[in-house]
Amino acid sequence: MERRRAAIRELYAETVSVFEPGAEATGHDGVYHTVDAILSNAPPSFVFGTFGPAVGHHGIGRMRWHFGPSDGQPVVTGLDVVEIVNGKITKLYVFLDPPAA
C-alpha cells in the first residue's frame, strides 16, 4: 500500500481532482481511496492494461485502457484524460466505454 501512495505522490499534484461517472475525489487521499475501492472490489486476477501509449501535448494527455482478468477479455474499457501542470496530474477525467451489445 505504501508503494501505491508513493506512486500517487509522484504522479499527482496535492490538489488533484478526479472525475468519474457519478463520483469525484480530491487530493492524494482521494486518488488512493478511488483506486483502492476499484481494486478491492475486483477479483485478484484482474489487471489494468493500455491500448497503446499515452499521448498528449500542451498540458493535456489521454490514455485508452482496459480492465479485466489477466488471461481473458476485458470487462471494462475506457479513456482517461488528464491535465498536467508542472509535471503533475492536476485533473483526471475517467470515461467508461458503453458495454458491447
Side-chain angles (χ1 to χ4, degrees):
M1 302 301 171
E2 188 51 40
R3 193 168 135 201
R4 183 181 305 153
R5 285 192 184 277
I8 289 168
R9 285 190 301 269
E10 180 181 336
L11 297 172
Y12 295 89
E14 285 184 45
T15 58
V16 62
S17 295
V18 179
F19 304 96
E20 295 186 334
E24 294 181 19
T26 58
H28 289 162
D29 283 342
V31 173
Y32 180 86
H33 293 299
T34 298
V35 171
D36 188 60
I38 293 166
L39 296 179
S40 66
N41 288 310
S45 66
F46 275 34
V47 295
F48 276 100
T50 62
F51 295 113
V55 296
H57 58 84
H58 293 90
I60 303 294
R62 65 115 171 116
M63 181 178 66
R64 296 214 15 88
W65 54 265
H66 53 87
F67 185 60
S70 59
D71 60 351
Q73 292 295 312
V75 172
V76 64
T77 61
L79 171 76
D80 287 355
V81 175
V82 297
E83 175 187 70
I84 301 169
V85 176
N86 296 324
K88 302 267 186 173
I89 297 170
T90 57
K91 291 186 180 156
L92 166 60
Y93 299 88
V94 178
F95 295 88
L96 302 178
D97 293 331

